[in-house]
Amino acid sequence: MDAPEEPLPPVIYTMENKPIVTCAGDQNLFTSLYPTLSQQLPREPMEWRRSYGRAPRMIHLESNFVQFKEELLAKEGNKALLTFPFLHVYWAECCDTEVYKATVKDDLTKWQNALKAHSSADWLIVLVENDAKKKNKTNILPRTSIVDKIRNDFCNKQSDRCVVLSDPLKDSSRTQESWNAFLTKLRTLLLMSFTKNLGKFEDDMRTLREKRTEPGWSFCEYFMVQEELAFVFEMLQQFEDALVQYDELDALFSQYVVNFGAGDGANWLTFFCQPVKSWNGLILRKPIDMEKRELIQRQEATLLELRSYLFSRQCTLLLFLQRPWEVAQRALELLHSCVQELQLLEVSVPPGALDCWVFLSCLEVLQRIEGCCDRAHLDANSAHTVGLWSYATEKLKSLGYLCGLVSEKGPNSEDLNRTVDLLAGLGAERPETANTAQSPYKKLKEALSSVEAFEKHYLELSHAAIEMYTSVGRIRSAKFVGKDLAEFYMRKKSPQKAEVYLQGALKNYLAEGWALPVTHTRKQLAECQKHLGQIENYLQSSSLLASDRHLTEDERKYFCQEILSFASQTDSPGHRVVLPMHSFAQLRDLRFTPSNAVVHVGGVLSVEMTVCSQMPVPVHVEQIAINVHFSIEKNNYRKTAEWLTKHKTSNGIIHFATEPSPFPASPNSLPALELYEMFERSPSDNSLTTTGIICRNVHMLLRRQESSTSLETPSTVALEDGAHVLKCSSVTLQPGANTVTFRTQAKEPGTYTLRQLCASLGPVWFVLPHIYPLAQYDVYSQEPQLLVEPLADSLLAGIPQKVKFTVTTGHYTVKNGDSLQLSNAEAMLILCHADSRAVIYSNTREKASDASLRVHSSDKVTSISLPAAPAYHVIEFELEVLSLPSAPAAGEESSRLGVTEPQRKQKDTQKAGHCMATIDHKVSIDCPWSIYSTVIALTFSVPFRTTHALLSAGTRKYVQVCVQNLSELDFQLSGSDLVDTRGSTGLQLTPLNTESQQRVRSRQSVSFVWELTWAQEPPPSLRGRFSVGFCPASEERLSVSLKPYTYDFQVENFFTLYNVKAEILPPAGMEHCRTGSLCSLAVSITRLSDLLEVDRDEALTESDQCFSTKLMYEVVDNSSNWAVCGKSSGVICMPVAAQATHRVHMEVVPLFAGHLPLPDVRLFKYLPHHSAHSAQPDADSWIENDSLSVDKHGDEQLDGGGSRSRGGGHSASSSEHQGLPMPRLQALPPGQVFNSGAGTQVLVIPSKDDHVLEVSVT
């Protein structure tokens, strides 16, 4: 049964490694079952649940079945998991009792004792049942008895460790079920063994890692232990877990190197500080580099060898995980970190050795990835590999410079020796790449072999890197590679090829704001342009470099001298080189004199400009010129000095922003986000459908950042040729601020805009194409003008008022003898004092001189002599004018205060009463500069508003005149008088005012009263003239005497003809009137005089030598305190005789309680309809009546029929009288009717049964 022992083969670390399972017992039986077992075991996956909360994995189990030998059992201290048997299986075939007791039992006992001796508890007994043998041997015990014996003998507490496999070589359902049960048990036990042994191994590994701070701890030993775990995961095809182990080792080593650089070094790191003697790059074509692994195991590996082995293992696992692009990313990080780690560990590296190692490693990684992917996949993912191409290009360039392959004369002997040493460090080419035509080893060796080969490989790599960077959109990186390529071309004396790459790199540096790279690249570009003979571009670059403060003073002077040297050449006088101004000098500010930048024709204007020179040395400029654009605007002749002064800045200084930096704005200077909420609602039900955030200034934030101010390419600066140029010759600009002054004499009126600034140094012209902000000055030509305006807001009539005369001379020169001829107005006087003076100002309002003013007056003309004044000056002087005071004559109707007028007319009168009446005086002025006369209008305001009123007391009459002061001044009134202009002898006016002088303040009134008396029949009317002297209260003494203020008015029919008396009596038996009860109203109308002249009209009738007139009365209560019942109006025939009386009785009802005024009683003349001379009264004078007809009987009273409502009135007509001629009513003048009951009140007490009490308070 036992096979002869063979020596253990060495462990080969390849992907063919599988978990070891030992097989004891019947080897022939196992050999017959092995094909089926090896095929069925990995078919079904198993869920592997691991400790520490790690995610479960589904794995397919495969095993390496080997014959059981005691030497395979793990010994104490052995940490090799690959040679560790995870499970031990004993195979036995069902047999009789004698065979079992004679051989099987003893062999099983020996097998289990060996397992117990090595503490191995992972075992399984498989009992194979064969039906054919059972039929041949009838004395074989039943199967259950053998199984039971084995379980009793060896599986006391683990009965599941014994499995029966029935007829395994047959194809039956019973056989398949038996196989499934056996395979499930085998997989389960294998997983349990994995979990247990790997957990124990991880705990031991963790314990070993925690001892890393103890002396004598070795990273290499720990490396081998954790790699053993990685091998097991890889063996189980758990590549992710295996990669984690290597990543942990990578991180641990990197942290130790960083700590070493910080001064906290571990002793074992000294093994990795050995000088680098081999730099053959990464080896990625083997799953495991056993050579380097053995060096690590013996602690003889260098830093590069450790890193190379570690990355090769990571690369292998990543490729199994189908993540080739992560290989490229990790490789680039590894190469950069290795360079830093060699510096931190201070490892001695021969010059160029590290460049060789990086170059070979880059190409090795790229070729390894190319071997896993097709070309289309590579091109689509070039963003991951372009970094390696660029790094390889950079390292090859360094090797070329180091080995003298870029120099003009080629490599020297020293360079050749260095090249030999570098190639020797590469060693022999590895066997796996020996047959590859383009292996990294061959490429490097070929590139270092000659200048031509190096150029070929370097250009190939550079163009490949640029193309890849461009294809993935990394334009910036492509420009940087191009800059290195430009330096190579400059070394090879090919400036025409280098220029385009330098321009691209410079533009990129400018866009990103790298100041020092900009300066360095610009120097290279200037050198390139000089070699190519690009004079204009070279001068432009020189001007930028001469003003670049990142260069040394000597370098700046050198480039400045280059410009001056070219400027001093006169070989081609017609050739002109135009360069931008900002690199040569910068415009800081500009000052106009005069400050408002406005000057008249013939005036002198100066422009003072502050220019900051950027050059390091004083520069003599032949000429500095400003090109001026002249324009004549439409209606430009209207731009007077006054208009231009109001629309110009006063200080005359224009500040220019500092020339913007050629670098873009930093993110901090960008405008802030303007975010707003956005809602969209459904138009049908107004429900919210969409919400979001919108940025309103996205156009400011997402603008492309370009070097718009980059002047590396020749920018076209257009020179403007114009007739208007301001020049300043022979100017020396010192470094820093300089002041340049331009002067010009204005010739033609218009607007002059400063467009361009030019500084010329021989054939070199520095031009500022646009001057911004806008700088311009105006030249005007003005016609002479005369302006007359009052000094106060309004001129008051009656008192001296000052008027200001302003003569703007314009282009006219005022000579001695020139004068203004004023035509005198009839009611206005021009006053002049002996000390009057005229002041002469310049057009900038600066006082030039003054002179006395001479005024000569005659009956019709006033002559004002003007002082001599030059053109574009202003003459100002003041004179006093006096307008005669008079009030407008009061009309007959509007002057009678107290006459009943419509309410609308009263409101209009009140509104207009607050404004002063005005008087216009037109004066014609003849000016010496014009053949036409100038007509001016002066408006004077009458300071007073005067009204009059007729007052009555029975038959006594009084006239009241009210004077209201509407101005802002206080006046002193004196000498008031009222006369009858008709000169009636029988009429006397007796003043009742006792004070001779009265003061009327602003917005106040003063009243004057006269009593009218007459001895005989009074005149029909009074034509009065009121006069009063006045003067301003603040003036003590006036130079002229003032005329009094007059007011004319007329009063008609001012004597009393009728006396009306009304009386209300309470009901019988009551002491006072009560609300709601009928009271009696008694009205008596009494004639006070006999027949007078005013009575002779159409209403007068004669009967039997007796005269009578028809009157209509009406009782009206406008306050609605009384309800008139029954008759409220009627027509009466009144005898024209003294003391003739007519009485009317009617009933009224008080509506409120309290002291109520009596109702009004009105009288009208009742005129027949055929009256031709009586004026038709307006609608407001008609009295409403229910029915009104022509009186056919002289003494018959026509009453208004029907009941009257509260405050009711009469209708003018009724339906039954439509079409009939209606009589006319004429209201009697208020002076002819005296109401003796006016102001009388009646006490009304409330009724006793009223629940609501209404009280009228008057």
Side-chain angles (χ1 to χ4, degrees):
M1 182 179 289
D2 294 337
E5 294 187 3
E6 299 177 359
L8 293 176
V11 178
I12 300 177
Y13 294 89
T14 65
M15 282 306 299
E16 301 301 324
N17 292 331
K18 299 176 183 178
I20 295 177
V21 177
T22 65
C23 297
D26 192 346
Q27 293 297 321
N28 295 327
L29 177 63
F30 170 75
T31 303
S32 63
L33 298 179
Y34 175 74
T36 306
L37 178 61
S38 59
Q39 181 182 2
Q40 295 289 336
L41 180 62
R43 180 169 296 179
E44 295 293 334
M46 291 290 290
E47 185 181 29
W48 184 20
R49 296 183 176 273
R50 302 175 59 193
S51 58
Y52 300 106
R54 285 173 285 193
R57 301 291 180 90
M58 299 300 292
I59 63 174
H60 293 266
L61 292 174
E62 290 186 84
S63 297
N64 183 17
F65 293 92
V66 300
Q67 185 177 354
F68 174 79
K69 295 179 181 178
E70 195 169 348
E71 292 79 4
L72 292 176
L73 297 178
K75 298 177 177 59
E76 192 68 28
N78 186 8
K79 297 182 175 62
L81 284 175
L82 289 180
T83 59
F84 178 79
F86 288 92
L87 185 62
H88 306 277
V89 181
Y90 188 91
W91 297 85
E93 191 173 5
C94 185
C95 59
D96 52 17
T97 306
E98 288 78 9
V99 177
Y100 169 74
K101 291 182 179 180
T103 57
V104 176
K105 183 175 181 181
D106 294 339
D107 196 34
L108 272 172
T109 303
K110 182 180 177 182
W111 176 68
Q112 279 212 342
N113 291 336
L115 295 181
K116 291 179 181 178
H118 291 84
S119 302
S120 177
D122 300 311
W123 52 270
L124 177 65
I125 299 175
V126 181
L127 184 61
V128 180
E129 180 186 44
N130 196 326
D131 291 341
K133 292 185 179 181
K134 184 188 299 183
K135 294 177 181 179
N136 295 333
K137 298 181 180 181
T138 56
N139 58 345
I140 296 179
L141 293 177
R143 174 179 53 85
T144 53
S145 62
I146 298 286
V147 174
D148 292 340
K149 273 188 170 293
I150 294 175
R151 288 176 178 172
N152 292 331
D153 294 339
F154 303 101
C155 309
N156 295 327
K157 297 181 180 180
Q158 295 175 317
S159 59
D160 58 338
R161 291 300 181 98
C162 182
V163 179
V164 178
L165 186 60
S166 301
D167 292 329
L169 299 179
K170 284 188 177 183
D171 186 10
S172 64
S173 59
R174 180 169 175 269
T175 301
Q176 190 60 41
E177 291 177 3
S178 176
W179 269 108
N180 291 340
F182 166 67
L183 290 174
T184 302
K185 176 58 67 175
L186 183 60
R187 295 186 189 112
T188 304
L189 293 177
L190 270 176
L191 281 182
M192 291 173 58
S193 179
F194 288 156
T195 305
K196 179 180 65 173
N197 290 287
L198 285 183
K200 183 177 183 303
F201 186 86
E202 288 180 337
D203 292 340
D204 295 340
M205 183 186 71
R206 195 175 298 109
T207 303
L208 181 61
R209 185 171 62 224
E210 291 173 355
K211 295 180 180 179
R212 63 185 180 275
T213 56
E214 298 178 2
W217 187 84
S218 174
F219 175 78
C220 293
E221 294 180 3
Y222 176 74
F223 182 93
M224 305 308 292
V225 172
Q226 188 157 4
E227 190 186 29
E228 189 77 19
L229 181 62
F231 284 151
V232 173
F233 285 126
E234 185 178 1
M235 179 179 62
L236 297 176
Q237 298 185 1
Q238 301 301 307
F239 305 119
E240 191 72 45
D241 292 330
L243 182 61
V244 169
Q245 310 308 316
Y246 287 110
D247 289 344
E248 290 180 357
L249 289 171
D250 190 353
L252 181 62
F253 185 79
S254 299
Q255 187 60 48
Y256 269 104
V257 175
V258 172
N259 294 343
F260 183 86
D264 183 15
N267 296 331
W268 55 267
L269 272 176
T270 56
F271 298 111
F272 298 100
C273 297
Q274 307 170 34
V276 175
K277 298 179 182 180
S278 175
W279 41 87
N280 55 359
L282 296 175
I283 301 176
L284 305 179
R285 301 173 194 261
K286 297 180 181 179
I288 300 176
D289 190 350
M290 295 304 300
E291 181 182 352
K292 289 187 174 59
R293 188 176 189 277
E294 290 174 1
L295 290 176
I296 297 172
Q297 193 170 10
R298 296 198 304 264
Q299 299 185 3
E300 296 176 0
T302 62
L303 175 67
L304 292 182
E305 292 169 340
L306 173 68
R307 282 298 187 185
S308 297
Y309 176 77
L310 186 57
F311 181 76
S312 68
R313 294 296 301 136
Q314 292 172 319
C315 173
T316 302
L317 294 172
L318 287 171
L319 292 179
F320 277 120
L321 291 170
Q322 297 182 355
R323 287 147 60 179
W325 314 121
E326 189 173 343
V327 174
Q329 177 186 349
R330 290 189 177 216
L332 194 58
E333 295 174 358
L334 168 74
L335 298 178
H336 284 288
S337 63
C338 281
V339 175
Q340 299 297 325
E341 289 175 354
L342 288 173
Q343 295 178 358
L344 289 175
L345 296 179
E346 300 176 358
V347 178
S348 176
V349 183
L354 196 56
D355 295 333
C356 290
W357 184 81
V358 172
F359 178 79
L360 292 172
S361 299
C362 288
L363 295 188
E364 177 72 11
V365 174
L366 291 172
Q367 291 187 4
R368 187 72 177 91
I369 295 176
E370 289 175 1
C372 302
C373 306
D374 55 12
R375 175 51 55 184
H377 202 191
L378 285 172
D379 294 340
N381 292 274
S382 57
H384 300 90
T385 59
V386 66
L388 292 173
W389 285 103
S390 177
Y391 203 17
T393 305
E394 178 185 344
K395 292 307 175 182
L396 184 60
K397 183 191 75 168
S398 299
L399 289 172
Y401 280 83
L402 182 66
C403 299
L405 299 174
V406 191
S407 61
E408 300 178 15
K409 300 179 181 180
N412 53 26
S413 59
E414 183 180 353
D415 297 332
L416 293 175
N417 292 333
R418 188 179 296 115
T419 302
V420 172
D421 294 339
L422 290 176
L423 293 177
L426 299 179
E429 188 173 5
R430 297 188 293 270
E432 57 268 17
T433 62
N435 298 325
T436 306
Q438 295 293 326
S439 66
Y441 180 87
K442 291 185 178 67
K443 282 191 174 184
L444 180 58
K445 193 172 182 179
E446 181 183 355
L448 298 182
S449 62
S450 65
V451 175
E452 293 76 11
F454 172 81
E455 181 176 354
K456 171 193 171 186
H457 285 283
Y458 177 67
L459 293 180
E460 180 184 345
L461 287 175
S462 298
H463 289 300
I466 292 175
E467 183 180 354
M468 289 185 186
Y469 274 133
T470 305
S471 65
V472 300
R474 294 178 59 180
I475 307 301
R476 172 178 177 270
S477 299
K479 300 291 186 184
F480 292 162
V481 178
K483 182 175 180 295
D484 294 338
L485 192 57
E487 294 179 0
F488 172 77
Y489 282 130
M490 290 300 293
R491 287 287 191 100
K492 304 296 288 184
K493 298 301 180 183
S494 299
Q496 69 278 2
K497 296 181 180 179
E499 183 188 13
V500 62
Y501 294 110
L502 289 175
Q503 289 282 10
L506 181 59
K507 182 177 181 181
N508 192 76
Y509 286 137
L510 286 169
E512 296 186 1
W514 298 100
L516 291 177
V518 164
T519 303
H520 181 259
T521 308
R522 189 173 282 153
K523 282 177 60 180
Q524 294 175 318
L525 184 60
E527 181 184 358
C528 180
Q529 292 165 346
K530 187 175 183 180
H531 286 304
L532 292 174
Q534 299 176 357
I535 301 301
E536 184 173 349
N537 295 344
Y538 176 66
L539 291 177
Q540 181 172 323
S541 299
S542 298
S543 65
L544 291 168
L545 291 169
S547 61
D548 195 336
R549 300 189 183 278
H550 294 98
L551 292 178
T552 63
E553 196 71 16
D554 293 338
E555 289 176 317
R556 293 180 61 196
K557 290 180 180 179
Y558 167 76
F559 288 106
C560 181
Q561 191 60 41
E562 290 285 291
I563 301 173
L564 299 179
S565 300
F566 179 82
S568 61
Q569 298 176 4
T570 58
D571 297 339
S572 53
H575 180 66
R576 178 186 297 175
V577 178
V578 181
L579 301 177
M581 171 73 75
H582 78 92
S583 60
F584 175 73
Q586 293 184 0
L587 181 60
R588 292 296 177 83
D589 57 61
L590 186 144
R591 180 191 300 269
F592 285 104
T593 304
S595 59
N596 59 355
V598 176
V599 64
H600 57 79
V601 174
V604 177
L605 177 110
S606 66
V607 180
E608 185 179 291
M609 183 180 296
T610 301
V611 178
C612 185
S613 175
Q614 305 292 326
M615 296 294 104
V617 295
V619 178
H620 180 74
V621 181
E622 295 179 3
Q623 177 180 284
I624 298 180
I626 302 177
N627 289 331
V628 181
H629 175 73
F630 170 70
S631 64
I632 301 178
E633 299 180 4
K634 187 178 180 181
N635 300 331
N636 188 60
Y637 60 89
R638 295 185 178 180
K639 286 190 174 182
T640 62
E642 178 184 2
W643 186 93
L644 291 170
T645 303
K646 290 180 179 179
H647 292 77
K648 284 287 186 177
T649 57
S650 59
N651 55 11
I653 301 178
I654 300 175
H655 295 281
F656 298 91
T658 305
E659 188 68 23
S661 170
F663 308 127
S666 62
N668 295 332
S669 63
L670 292 176
L673 285 172
E674 296 181 8
L675 298 178
Y676 295 88
E677 294 180 345
M678 178 189 68
F679 301 99
E680 291 185 4
R681 296 185 178 275
S682 173
S684 58
D685 55 356
N686 200 31
S687 61
L688 185 64
T689 58
T690 306
T691 182
I693 295 177
I694 187 172
C695 179
R696 293 190 177 179
N697 62 338
V698 66
H699 61 286
M700 299 293 295
L701 297 168
L702 298 185
R703 290 186 301 178
R704 182 178 178 183
Q705 295 291 336
E706 288 191 9
S707 178
S708 57
T709 58
S710 173
L711 300 175
E712 307 313 312
T713 56
S715 56
T716 303
V717 179
L719 282 175
E720 293 186 359
D721 295 330
H724 302 277
V725 179
L726 305 181
K727 299 180 180 179
C728 187
S729 302
S730 187
V731 179
T732 300
L733 295 180
Q734 301 290 337
N738 299 266
T739 301
V740 183
T741 304
F742 304 86
R743 288 182 174 83
T744 182
Q745 185 173 12
K747 295 181 180 179
E748 188 176 356
T751 300
Y752 294 80
T753 304
L754 308 186
R755 287 289 185 87
Q756 282 187 348
L757 177 64
C758 306
S760 60
L761 289 77
V764 180
W765 284 49
F766 291 97
V767 179
L768 179 63
H770 303 287
I771 297 178
Y772 185 82
L774 194 66
Q776 60 185 18
Y777 63 92
D778 292 281
V779 178
Y780 66 92
S781 176
Q782 187 178 7
E783 295 292 330
Q785 292 182 354
L786 172 65
L787 177 64
V788 181
E789 54 184 351
L791 292 181
D793 293 338
S794 63
L795 298 175
L796 296 180
I799 59 176
Q801 298 287 284
K802 288 186 177 183
V803 176
K804 179 181 178 181
F805 288 73
T806 302
V807 178
T808 303
T809 62
H811 59 75
Y812 180 79
T813 301
V814 180
K815 302 175 291 295
N816 287 324
D818 288 345
S819 62
L820 300 178
Q821 304 293 328
L822 282 71
S823 60
N824 293 336
E826 296 181 358
M828 187 185 75
L829 302 178
I830 298 178
L831 310 177
C832 181
H833 302 284
D835 56 350
S836 297
R837 302 188 69 82
V839 183
I840 302 174
Y841 297 94
S842 67
N843 61 340
T844 58
R845 295 302 298 174
E846 297 179 359
K847 184 177 179 181
S849 62
D850 60 352
S852 60
L853 193 66
R854 293 173 300 177
V855 180
H856 302 281
S857 298
S858 62
D859 293 339
K860 296 184 178 180
V861 177
T862 299
S863 178
I864 304 174
S865 299
L866 297 176
Y872 294 101
H873 279 62
V874 178
I875 304 174
E876 291 184 356
F877 57 89
E878 297 177 2
L879 294 178
E880 287 187 344
V881 293
L882 177 64
S883 176
L884 300 181
S886 62
E892 180 178 357
E893 293 298 326
S894 62
S895 63
R896 284 183 279 175
L897 296 182
V899 177
T900 303
E901 294 184 358
Q903 187 175 4
R904 177 181 57 82
K905 296 182 180 180
Q906 292 179 5
K907 290 183 179 180
D908 294 344
T909 303
Q910 293 173 1
K911 184 183 297 185
H914 295 288
C915 300
M916 292 184 286
T918 58
I919 305 173
D920 290 336
H921 298 288
K922 292 185 178 180
V923 180
S924 176
I925 304 177
D926 294 331
C927 302
W929 55 80
S930 176
I931 62 175
Y932 302 103
S933 297
T934 301
V935 179
I936 63 170
L938 296 178
T939 301
F940 291 84
S941 300
V942 180
F944 303 118
R945 177 176 178 268
T946 307
T947 58
H948 67 278
L950 178 66
L951 307 179
S952 301
T955 58
R956 300 181 65 178
K957 297 296 179 177
Y958 302 89
V959 174
Q960 180 188 27
V961 178
C962 181
V963 179
Q964 182 181 6
N965 180 11
L966 300 178
S967 69
E968 301 295 334
L969 298 178
D970 296 346
F971 288 96
Q972 193 75 22
L973 304 182
S974 61
S976 60
D977 188 24
L978 179 64
V979 297
D980 183 11
T981 57
R982 288 185 175 181
S984 301
T985 57
L987 185 63
Q988 294 184 359
L989 298 172
T990 304
L992 302 183
N993 296 72
T994 58
E995 297 182 2
S996 60
Q997 291 188 355
Q998 285 185 308
R999 184 164 184 167
V1000 55
R1001 300 187 181 276
S1002 173
R1003 310 297 178 185
Q1004 292 188 353
S1005 303
V1006 173
S1007 296
F1008 302 90
V1009 180
W1010 283 265
E1011 184 178 1
L1012 299 179
T1013 58
W1014 54 90
Q1016 53 186 0
E1017 183 178 350
S1021 64
L1022 168 65
R1023 293 185 178 178
R1025 171 171 293 176
F1026 168 76
S1027 64
V1028 63
F1030 71 99
C1031 66
S1034 59
E1035 299 287 344
E1036 297 182 358
R1037 184 176 181 182
L1038 296 176
S1039 58
V1040 295
S1041 59
L1042 303 180
K1043 292 189 177 182
Y1045 170 75
T1046 61
Y1047 173 69
D1048 295 335
F1049 62 92
Q1050 181 175 349
V1051 180
E1052 300 285 346
N1053 300 325
F1054 56 85
F1055 42 85
T1056 306
L1057 293 181
Y1058 299 99
N1059 181 25
V1060 178
K1061 182 179 180 182
E1063 184 180 6
I1064 293 181
L1065 300 175
M1070 294 186 182
E1071 184 180 358
H1072 299 287
C1073 297
R1074 292 183 180 272
T1075 57
S1077 59
L1078 289 173
C1079 299
S1080 175
L1081 171 64
V1083 180
S1084 63
I1085 304 173
T1086 303
R1087 172 85 183 192
L1088 299 181
S1089 64
D1090 293 328
L1091 180 66
L1092 297 177
E1093 189 67 25
V1094 297
D1095 293 322
R1096 300 184 182 275
D1097 53 15
E1098 290 81 4
L1100 183 68
T1101 58
E1102 182 179 2
S1103 176
D1104 298 335
Q1105 302 297 322
C1106 294
F1107 293 94
S1108 62
T1109 184
K1110 287 186 178 181
L1111 300 177
M1112 178 180 176
Y1113 69 89
E1114 182 188 22
V1115 180
V1116 178
D1117 184 18
N1118 291 327
S1119 59
S1120 301
N1121 292 323
W1122 303 88
V1124 181
C1125 301
K1127 299 176 295 182
S1128 63
S1129 63
V1131 178
I1132 62 175
C1133 184
M1134 191 71 184
V1136 182
Q1139 301 303 319
T1141 303
H1142 188 91
R1143 290 179 175 83
V1144 178
H1145 295 274
M1146 58 188 69
E1147 292 180 343
V1148 295
V1149 177
L1151 303 178
F1152 304 102
H1155 291 276
L1156 304 182
L1158 296 179
D1160 294 335
V1161 180
R1162 300 176 184 176
L1163 288 182
F1164 302 90
K1165 275 192 176 183
Y1166 191 86
L1167 302 178
H1169 69 275
H1170 53 78
S1171 175
H1173 303 286
S1174 177
Q1176 174 70 30
D1178 57 10
D1180 292 334
S1181 62
W1182 281 88
I1183 304 300
E1184 296 180 356
N1185 192 10
D1186 290 335
S1187 64
L1188 189 64
S1189 62
V1190 181
D1191 182 24
K1192 296 181 180 180
H1193 304 283
D1195 34 348
E1196 180 184 358
Q1197 177 178 328
L1198 298 179
D1199 300 331
S1203 174
R1204 297 294 303 271
S1205 63
R1206 181 190 306 179
H1210 300 278
S1211 64
S1213 62
S1214 63
S1215 60
E1216 58 189 47
H1217 291 94
Q1218 289 182 358
L1220 296 178
M1222 299 300 297
R1224 295 176 174 83
L1225 300 179
Q1226 181 179 4
L1228 291 172
Q1232 293 182 355
V1233 179
F1234 177 73
N1235 192 346
S1236 61
T1240 304
Q1241 292 183 340
V1242 177
L1243 177 61
V1244 178
I1245 60 178
S1247 300
K1248 295 181 180 180
D1249 57 349
D1250 285 343
H1251 298 288
V1252 179
L1253 177 64
E1254 296 185 8
V1255 178
S1256 176
V1257 179
T1258 57

